[in-house]
Structure formats: C-alpha cells, structure tokens
Amino acid sequence: MNESTGDIGAQFYATQLGVYDEMLAKEHKVLPYWERFMDAIATLGSEQLELRRREAQRLLRENGVTYNVYGDTQKLTRPWRLDPVPLLISSEDWSLIEAGLKQRAELLNLILKDIYGKQQLLKKGLLPSELVLAHDGFLHPCVGALPHLQRQLIVYSANLARGQNGRMLVLDDRSQAPSGAGYALENRTVMTRVLPDIFRETQVHRLSGFFKALRKGLADIAPHNKEDPRIVILTPGSLNETYFEHAYLSSYLGFSLVQGDDLTVRDGRVWLKSLDGLQPVDVILRRVDDSFCDPLELRSASRLGVAGLLEAVRRNNVAIANPLGSSALENPGLLAFLPRLSRHFLNQELILPSVATWWCGQRRERDFVLQNLDRLIIKPINRSSGNYALFGGLLSAKEKELLRAAIIAKPHCYVGQEHVSFSTVPSFIDHHIEPRFAVLRSFAVASGDDYQVMPGGLTRIARQQDDFIVSNQAGGISKDTWVLADEPDKQVSLWFQPGRDVVLAADTEPLTSRAANNLFWVGRYLERIKAATRLMRTILLKLAEAPELNDPLDSQCLDVLLSALTQVTGTYPGFVTSNASVLKEPQNELLALAKNVQRSGTLAANIQAFAQTAFSIRDAWSQDTWRCVDNIQRRWQQRVVNGDCDLEQLQKHLDDLITGFVAFIGLTTESMTREAGWLMLDSGRRLEHSLTLIALLRATVVQRHESALQNQLLEAVLISTDSLSIYRRRYRSFIKLPMVLELLLMDETHPRSLAYQLHQLSDHIGALPRERGKGQLSEEERLILRAYTDLRLVKVSELVNVADDVGVYSELESVLSAMTELLWRLYEVLAQAYFSHSQVPQLMTPTQPEDDL
C-alpha cells in the first residue's frame, strides 16, 4: 500500500502513512462497499474509465456548467471538473453525519435568533461582545428585524473533513448564501449517465427529496399568499463565480431569476418589474452577500441590491432566505464557543465537533496562539478579499513578526486553528487511481419542524497529491457523493404534492425587463452574425472562382462586396479605405474579421457577445438550446480564433456556423412558448435583419453600375441573402434590379424580405404588454406602422428610374436611409418602454466573494 502503481484496482491503491483513507479500514483492509465498487471500476479498465471521464466533461461543458474565477484578467469562465470516482459513505456513517448537521443547524438558528433579538448570549457573557459586534457580518440595522419564525436559518451548509482518527470534523459553517447544492445535483445527473450500471447496482440515496424540501421550506416562510407564493432567486449577475448554479436552480425549482434592478420597493412591499407591470414578491432566495442587499441602510455603494429591502422585511412583507445579517454565523471565532452554547441551548454535546479553534480575543487563547504560530493556521474573523488563512509554518521570520504584531494590536480579529490532516479518497488522476485530500460540503434546509439534510453533497479534492487546497478558485476537482441505502430509494417527484389535486389556472411567468433586453439582443446578435457570415461566404466564393482577379469586372465586383462587408459589420476603416493594397490583398483583413475578438463588429466579437448575452439569461433556454449555443461559441473559438485557420478552411467553418444558427433558431422556435420572451427574441431578430439588409443594399445597388457589373453584384446580393433560388423560381429570367428589389423589399411572402420583417415586427409589438389609452397607439406602434406604410407605398419602378449626377439612385437611397432612421428610432423607443431600468452599470464585485466554493 505504500507504492504508486498504474493499476486502477483497489488492491494496488497507494495510501499515505499516517493519513486516514475513506476506502480503507484501520487495518488497511478495503471496506466491503468500496471493494464492490472498485471491482466494478477495475472491470471497466483504465482506458474505459478515461472515456467516461471525458464524456462527463463533455456533458458538463455542453450543459454550460462553469465556475467563474474572480480576478481572471480575461474574464473567462472555468469549466467545472468532475472526477468519475465518487465518495462513498455507508448508511451507518451517514446517519451520524446527518444527525450532527441537523443539530448544528438548529444550534446556529438559535444563536442567530438571539443575537438579532434579545441578545441574552451577550448579556450573560456566553458570547463576548467583541467577537460578535466587531464582525463585519453582524449588521446592526438588522437587530429586531427578524420575522417571527421558528427557524430563521433556512439553508445551511458545512464543510466537513475526516481527521486522522477517522472522526468527521466541521471546518467551517456557511450560513448567508451557501453555494454548491446545484453543482451537486448536476454532478449526480452526469454520473447517472456515465456510470449508469454501477450507480444502479450501488443503491444510492437520491437528491430530489432535498430539493422538494427546499421548495416547501421557502414556501412556508412566505408572509403572504402562502398557497402559491412568488419566490425569486436574487443573483449578483452573470459575472458572479457561481452564476451557473443560480440559473440552474432557477430552472430546476421553477423560480424567477432576478437581479437587484429587477426589483423595487413600493409602499413597504417588494415588487418584480416585468413587462406586465409590477408583480408582488413573497420570498427571496438570495445569492447576494447580505451587506450588498440594501444600499439604503447597509452598503451604500452597492449596485447589486434593492433600496428599501430591509424596511420591507421589518414590515413582514417579504421573507429572505437566509435573513440579512446571517453571515455573522460564519465568524470562525464562534467555533470556539459552540460546545458551550450547545450545552446551553440544547443540553447536548456536539455530535460533529469543530476543528480546534482559539479566539485571540481572550488572553490565554491569544498567548497560546502566539506561542504556537508554527503549528497553527491563522485566520482573520472577517472573510474578505485579500484576507486569507495563513499557515504559520510556511511564514518567514519577518512575516511571523508582522503577524504577531497584528494579532497583538487587534487580538479580537484573529483566530488560530489546528492544522488538520484531511482524509484521502480514491480519485482518478492521469489514468491512475490515487489518493487525494478531500472536503465534503453538505446541506440542510428547514422543512416543517425539522431540518432535512441532503444525502451526500459536494465533495472537492485537491488536484495535486500533497495539496490541502480543494477550492475551485485554486483548481480543485469535484466529486459526486454517494450515500449508500439499505434498500433502493423511492423516486421522489419535485412537483407532486399529496392531497393537492386542485386544477390551477396556468400562470405565465413574468418576464423581467433585464431578461427582455437580453433576449432582444440575443436576436440582434444572431442576425448580425448571420448577415456577416453569408456575405463573407459569398466573398470567399468569389475569391475562389477568380483567385488572380485578372478580369477587371471580377476585381470591381469584389471591391464593392468587400466595401459592403465593412459597412454591414461596421468594422471601419476595413475595406472602405483609400489604401488600395487592402483591396488588392484582402486575405489578412478577412481573417481579422473572423478571428479578432477585441475588435468590435467582427464575427469573433459578435459570437462572443451572443454567447455571453445568452449566458446571462441561462435560465431561459432549454438544455438542447444551450448545448447549441455552447457548440457555436466553442467551435468558432477552437477552430478559427485559436486555430491555424486559412481562407480555405474558413469557408467550411462559415458553413458550419450557419448550420449552428439554423439549429438554434429551430430549437427556439420549437421550444419557446409564444409569450413575451419569444416576442422579444424574435423582435430583435427582425429589427437587426432589417438593418443589415438595408445596409447591404445601400452598399451594393444604390450606386448605378454598368450592366455586366450590376448583374454580378445582384447575383451576389441574392446569394448572401439566401434568395437566389427563390428569385429563379419566381421570375425565370435574367437578374434585373427592379425584380431583385421587389423580392427583397416588398414581397411579404419571402422570409428574407424587408416587408416580411416589418410585418412580423408590427405583430410582435402589438402583442407586447403595454399600458395605453383606449383606442390609442403607443409610440412604438406608430413608428412601426409608419415604417411599414412608407414601404408599402413605394413604387419599385420609380426607385431606379433615374440616377443622379454621381450615379446614385437617389430615390432608392432616400427610402433606405429614411427607413434606417425610423428603425433606429423604433429601437430607442422600445428600449425606453421595456428596457430602460434594466441597463445595469458595470457590476460592483463584492469585496467578499459570495462563497469560496
């Protein structure tokens, strides 16, 4: 057992001396349930297990499972990593852990109620005032603001690790906005797909019962509308490190995902701003740090919260899980006092002891810490950016002196903790089964008269063999946690409620202005990319047909199309330049338009913006639709932006890009209900399609050309608008400008025409919710009616009758430019009417991350 080996069977597993391992008993014999599991893994073999690991990563990537990293200069999301070997916990072992977590949650709930209520613990000296009142998490405005509930602490989690003696210890408590439950659920979903037979034969407790209890627990605390409360999840936004989980839980639990600007307080109540008007909110499951939740009474610089939220809580008009101020329970100094408080409140010893902790605010404890700096971990009681745990044994002499001086100056701000050697668990690393230090985060939720604990949780392991750092910020890897059942678990439906067979009327989920804005822009980016892709593909075909450009006609046609590409994409100066060499050798500029992410208007930049905007409303998409978004962005990034791509390869990648967007359009068409969200998405598409079509026509056919060149340009325009085959079927003649304009401008039966886009826009705008006077049109309805009417009144034959002195069809140019102005004005009015309060400034990153998952 003391030598590393490449075999993945348990018989060759290499443990570390003096370290407790989850798979081995004290006599270094494999536990029976681990032996059965490892035999099944060995039967698969190393190569097959590696394939399963890769399949798990593929599923996680396609499902958009990410973890955002604070401080990443490129603002990249980090893919979530999952080890295919789970942590196994026996039923007997779990029963003790479960009881300990329930006890601990109950104890912390009583402490929370006291320190924000009668404060008997402070008055009796059971908790030092300095420890509580000097902690950043203790919010003085929240004293007396807790509602009258038996359990204030609704959601609780703890980080657990097994010490050298095999006893499970609590490393720290998470009480304000515990994260990880959604990741644990996604891990389980993936594991049942990559190891289905082993999972089925192992008899693992299911997780759905916990999430059903979470829904019920949140509904129970609603102060109003208890039969059908409106529950929302408050997120800081898509830049937050665990945003995927916020969106995932929103979709899974059926709650609206909102940001601070989506909510408002009126007359002491919290309301959701939606396209249908203000909707009352009963319960908020917050994922925003509590001090950022109300800029009126708490942190005034915050742009993440809702002004007046705390007053709505005081009036008992909204419930928040967990209550504002609950981060006071995450004070590591409390760990030293929990045994005494457990005896005081519960008359019980702690079932799950904390890691040994000494609060330096007491003289004897401070002296002990100062004398044993080399052997302890020193932590500040306030967890914030730049405030980290320090391993005393790793500090230099000068660093120790500075730390010693800081502790002496403010002893109440520091704790010393025992350096615990975690247990190790079998992990599949580089095709081998090797031990890795692990931490288990488990979760409890208040439900009825008790707490219900998730059977399992989120296990995290260190990437390197001797590393104790398991956080995802530092590159840790997650594991599923299998709590073994004595008999197969029964399937629990999240939505079935016994005794409630009443048929309820369908309730349309309100669409927030922020979500409407993002859906609108997803549609705009989609059409913007499609227009540029089709035009670029047409240009590449032209280059392939006449690579030397010896024919002046081909050269002139290509110059016009290249100039049009710059005007359609807005990537000036581009090909609209006096530099003849750019037009003569267009390859570098074309590749830059495909690859350059930093340049506004390029394909790469627009694809990235499309994916980021779609991610910010991750809860709006079905799993298949999101997989399509992921494929579009990932393939373009890998093949074009980061790949060694030339113009010949680019042609194929453009074809694939069009196919990807057609798939996205098909999926949204099939899966989205024709409600406000769909109207916004499709309106964005129609508006942008109109603008790019007009830009293309203005750049190509407004200028009069000689007959042969005009024919080439008209054919190119029809190809780039996917209209050539329709033109041939419709007119069966040579390509003529009036007929091309008739098809692309006036034909309402043609889905690529301007008339079709305006007709669809008119219908969508008319269907949008909007307060208006009886019989009166809104401003946006007037604008779209005017644009549509102006177009219908056009006589195509008069548009191209006569060109002016400089060879421009002035009537055509006048109509197209006027239409452009109208459409941009329409966007401004739509934005004012539906998106005005959703324009969020650059998000203020909390000085304290939501949770160091």
Side-chain angles (χ1 to χ4, degrees):
M1 289 285 183
N2 55 6
E3 293 183 5
S4 182
T5 167
D7 197 299
I8 68 168
Q11 64 270 32
F12 297 108
Y13 181 61
T15 60
Q16 300 183 38
L17 294 175
V19 175
Y20 188 96
D21 188 84
E22 294 290 331
M23 186 171 69
L24 304 178
K26 292 182 180 179
E27 296 79 12
H28 291 285
K29 294 180 181 178
V30 178
L31 295 168
Y33 55 90
W34 270 107
E35 188 170 18
R36 291 191 294 271
F37 176 84
M38 294 304 293
D39 285 346
I41 290 294
T43 301
L44 282 178
S46 178
E47 290 186 7
Q48 184 59 229
L49 188 57
E50 173 62 16
L51 290 176
R52 304 292 178 95
R53 186 196 68 80
R54 291 181 182 179
E55 174 66 7
Q57 291 307 126
R58 183 188 69 81
L59 291 171
L60 290 168
R61 186 196 66 243
E62 290 183 348
N63 291 346
V65 187
T66 57
Y67 183 84
N68 300 345
V69 183
Y70 282 130
D72 191 321
T73 56
Q74 298 180 8
K75 297 183 178 179
L76 298 179
T77 56
R78 176 171 293 173
W80 185 257
R81 295 198 291 177
L82 173 63
D83 180 34
V85 179
L87 168 64
L88 305 185
I89 302 178
S90 68
S91 180
E92 296 79 12
D93 201 5
W94 180 252
S95 63
L96 181 67
I97 295 172
E98 182 181 35
L101 289 169
K102 287 183 177 182
Q103 179 199 53
R104 202 172 182 95
E106 190 64 64
L107 174 60
L108 291 173
N109 173 64
L110 293 171
I111 295 172
L112 181 66
K113 291 173 69 173
D114 181 82
I115 62 176
Y116 285 105
K118 296 180 179 179
Q119 298 187 337
Q120 291 298 313
L121 295 177
L122 302 181
K123 294 173 182 176
K124 293 180 179 180
L126 293 171
L127 273 180
S129 297
E130 277 184 306
L131 174 65
V132 177
L133 303 181
H135 187 253
D136 290 345
F138 181 78
L139 304 181
H140 294 266
C142 296
V143 174
L146 294 182
H148 299 291
L149 297 172
Q150 182 181 358
R151 285 176 177 79
Q152 306 290 348
L153 187 63
I154 308 301
V155 185
Y156 163 73
S157 78
N159 287 325
L160 308 174
R162 206 184 296 272
Q164 290 180 341
N165 60 0
R167 190 174 186 185
M168 195 67 80
L169 300 173
V170 176
L171 302 179
D172 50 42
D173 302 291
R174 290 287 178 260
S175 58
Q176 74 153 322
S179 60
Y183 287 104
L185 179 60
E186 179 65 14
N187 281 353
R188 175 61 55 83
T189 302
V190 170
M191 287 294 289
T192 57
R193 290 189 60 178
V194 298
L195 294 177
D197 295 335
I198 297 177
F199 180 83
R200 187 167 50 251
E201 294 167 2
T202 308
Q203 294 186 183
V204 183
H205 277 292
R206 300 177 184 272
L207 304 183
S208 54
F210 170 83
F211 290 97
K212 184 174 183 179
L214 175 59
R215 292 188 84 252
K216 182 180 184 302
L218 293 173
D220 286 346
I221 64 173
H224 309 289
N225 193 25
K226 288 184 175 292
E227 286 299 312
D228 188 24
R230 172 165 281 117
I231 303 173
V232 301
I233 298 178
L234 178 62
T235 174
S238 58
L239 296 181
N240 184 260
E241 55 185 352
T242 57
Y243 176 74
F244 160 78
E245 183 178 61
H246 308 170
Y248 183 72
L249 290 177
S250 167
S251 177
Y252 183 73
L253 298 172
F255 301 154
S256 295
L257 184 65
V258 303
Q259 294 182 23
D261 277 5
D262 295 326
L263 303 176
T264 185
V265 174
R266 306 277 179 87
D267 299 324
R269 287 212 63 176
V270 178
W271 301 85
L272 173 64
K273 303 172 187 174
S274 77
L275 266 64
D276 293 306
L278 297 179
Q279 309 289 330
V281 173
D282 301 298
V283 180
I284 299 173
L285 175 61
R286 67 176 177 88
R287 299 303 296 267
V288 175
D289 285 1
D290 47 17
S291 63
F292 287 85
C293 284
D294 187 349
L296 195 63
E297 296 197 57
L298 302 174
R299 192 178 296 231
S300 60
S302 171
R303 302 301 298 267
L304 306 178
V306 187
L309 182 60
L310 186 53
E311 180 60 24
V313 171
R314 289 194 189 101
R315 297 189 186 188
N316 197 31
N317 284 332
V318 69
I320 302 178
N322 283 332
L324 301 181
S326 57
S327 61
L329 299 178
E330 296 185 357
N331 184 341
L334 278 179
L335 299 178
F337 297 89
L338 290 185
R340 182 169 62 176
L341 295 179
S342 179
R343 292 189 291 269
H344 171 75
F345 278 120
L346 307 175
N347 197 26
Q348 298 172 359
E349 297 296 329
L350 285 177
I351 299 173
L352 292 177
S354 309
V355 62
T357 302
W358 295 268
W359 176 56
C360 296
Q362 297 168 303
R363 179 179 296 276
R364 187 173 62 176
E365 283 75 7
R366 181 199 64 187
D367 293 342
F368 175 83
V369 169
L370 292 175
Q371 293 166 12
N372 294 274
L373 281 181
D374 288 340
R375 300 192 297 114
L376 298 177
I377 300 173
I378 310 302
K379 292 182 179 179
I381 64 171
N382 293 307
R383 190 169 56 95
S384 61
S385 179
N387 250 349
Y388 304 110
L390 298 174
F391 290 78
L394 301 178
L395 299 178
S396 66
K398 183 176 181 180
E399 289 171 332
K400 287 179 188 175
E401 286 305 313
L402 291 174
L403 178 59
R404 189 184 303 276
I407 293 174
I408 293 173
K410 293 184 177 181
H412 63 281
C413 291
Y414 293 90
V415 299
Q417 287 188 333
E418 179 186 7
H419 189 179
V420 179
S421 179
F422 305 160
S423 64
T424 55
V425 298
S427 306
F428 188 63
I429 307 292
D430 299 331
H431 296 76
H432 301 272
I433 295 292
E434 299 178 358
R436 287 294 185 273
F437 293 114
V439 171
L440 166 64
R441 176 172 291 193
S442 197
F443 306 86
V445 59
S447 182
D449 295 329
D450 200 1
Y451 280 92
Q452 182 161 335
V453 177
M454 176 190 288
L458 180 65
T459 298
R460 291 164 293 155
I461 60 171
R463 178 68 179 87
Q464 303 300 324
Q465 189 159 8
D466 297 321
D467 197 350
F468 285 92
I469 306 300
V470 301
S471 73
N472 293 82
Q473 291 264 355
I477 303 171
S478 70
K479 278 178 175 285
D480 193 10
T481 309
W482 292 6
V483 175
L484 308 183
D486 296 327
E487 56 185 30
D489 234 4
K490 294 181 180 179
Q491 179 68 43
V492 177
S493 170
L494 188 67
W495 302 99
F496 174 69
Q497 296 186 29
R500 293 196 64 181
D501 296 328
V502 180
V503 178
L504 298 176
D507 183 21
T508 301
E509 187 68 17
L511 182 71
T512 66
S513 298
R514 175 187 54 84
N517 188 28
N518 284 317
L519 282 165
F520 190 83
W521 272 99
V522 166
R524 291 199 66 175
Y525 282 127
L526 186 154
E527 291 299 325
R528 193 171 290 182
I529 296 165
K530 280 175 55 188
T533 301
R534 291 187 186 279
L535 182 54
M536 187 179 291
R537 191 170 60 173
T538 303
I539 291 170
L540 292 179
L541 285 171
K542 207 76 177 169
L543 276 172
E545 290 171 359
E548 302 301 326
L549 296 176
N550 293 325
D551 186 343
L553 193 63
D554 289 335
S555 181
Q556 292 175 43
C557 179
L558 188 61
D559 287 352
V560 175
L561 293 177
L562 288 171
S563 176
L565 181 61
T566 296
Q567 295 180 62
V568 168
T569 58
T571 51
Y572 297 97
F575 296 106
V576 184
T577 175
S578 57
N579 188 351
S581 62
V582 179
L583 291 171
K584 188 174 182 180
E585 299 290 340
Q587 290 84 355
N588 289 338
E589 176 67 10
L590 286 171
L591 286 173
L593 289 178
K595 296 167 71 84
N596 192 337
V597 179
Q598 305 302 322
R599 184 175 170 189
S600 178
T602 66
L603 274 177
N606 282 333
I607 290 171
Q608 185 180 73
F610 166 79
Q612 289 176 344
T613 306
F615 183 66
S616 69
I617 43 171
R618 176 66 178 84
D619 54 310
W621 313 113
S622 68
Q623 189 165 312
D624 287 336
T625 305
W626 178 255
R627 187 175 295 117
C628 187
V629 174
D630 174 76
N631 285 338
I632 289 170
Q633 182 190 33
R634 178 175 50 84
R635 289 173 179 172
W636 194 260
Q637 187 78 20
Q638 291 176 350
R639 298 173 180 178
V640 180
V641 177
N642 297 332
D644 187 16
C645 177
D646 57 24
L647 288 184
E648 184 177 346
Q649 294 167 325
L650 181 59
Q651 179 76 47
K652 178 182 180 302
H653 298 327
L654 290 172
D655 291 340
D656 291 342
L657 184 60
I658 288 291
T659 302
F661 277 110
V662 169
F664 176 81
I665 293 168
L667 285 167
T668 53
T669 301
E670 290 292 324
S671 62
M672 291 185 73
T673 55
R674 296 310 190 260
E675 296 169 346
W678 160 260
L679 296 176
M680 282 299 173
L681 174 67
D682 206 52
S683 294
R685 286 189 58 206
R686 302 305 168 191
L687 180 66
E688 190 65 30
H689 189 117
S690 301
L691 290 169
T692 54
L693 176 60
I694 292 172
L696 176 63
L697 294 175
R698 293 180 73 183
T700 53
V701 302
V702 165
Q703 181 77 35
R704 183 173 184 175
H705 305 284
E706 58 184 63
S707 179
L709 176 57
Q710 181 168 277
N711 286 341
Q712 277 204 35
L713 285 174
L714 290 176
E715 182 178 18
V717 167
L718 289 171
I719 291 172
S720 64
T721 56
D722 197 25
S723 302
L724 183 59
S725 60
I726 295 174
Y727 182 91
R728 286 170 175 166
R729 288 198 306 270
R730 182 72 55 85
Y731 296 103
R732 302 177 183 273
S733 66
F734 295 110
I735 298 176
K736 300 292 185 181
L737 179 57
M739 290 180 284
V740 170
L741 292 177
E742 185 73 36
L743 179 65
L744 294 182
L745 291 181
M746 311 299 295
D747 191 342
E748 285 193 25
T749 65
H750 180 32
R752 310 286 184 192
S753 75
L754 180 60
Y756 183 88
Q757 313 310 317
L758 297 183
H759 186 269
Q760 292 295 110
L761 257 178
S762 179
D763 288 347
H764 292 347
I765 290 173
L768 286 173
R770 177 77 168 157
E771 291 185 9
R772 53 175 67 89
K774 187 175 181 180
Q776 294 184 2
L777 296 177
S778 64
E779 181 64 18
E780 57 269 24
E781 286 176 317
R782 291 191 186 95
L783 286 169
I784 190 60
L785 178 60
R786 179 180 168 188
Y788 181 68
T789 303
D790 286 352
L791 181 65
R792 299 306 298 164
L793 292 174
V794 164
K795 289 185 178 181
V796 171
S797 59
E798 295 179 357
L799 294 180
V800 292
N801 249 347
V802 181
D804 61 19
D805 295 339
V806 292
V808 172
Y809 293 113
S810 54
E811 284 297 319
L812 177 60
E813 167 62 18
S814 176
V815 167
L816 294 179
S817 62
M819 189 64 64
T820 300
E821 291 182 13
L822 268 177
L823 291 175
W824 275 110
R825 175 59 185 156
L826 174 63
Y827 168 69
E828 292 171 358
V829 171
L830 285 172
Q832 182 65 32
Y834 296 102
F835 316 142
S836 58
H837 64 270
S838 69
Q839 304 297 322
V840 183
Q842 180 65 35
L843 289 181
M844 174 182 174
T845 302
T847 57
Q848 171 178 310
E850 172 203 301
D851 204 347
D852 56 346
L853 187 61

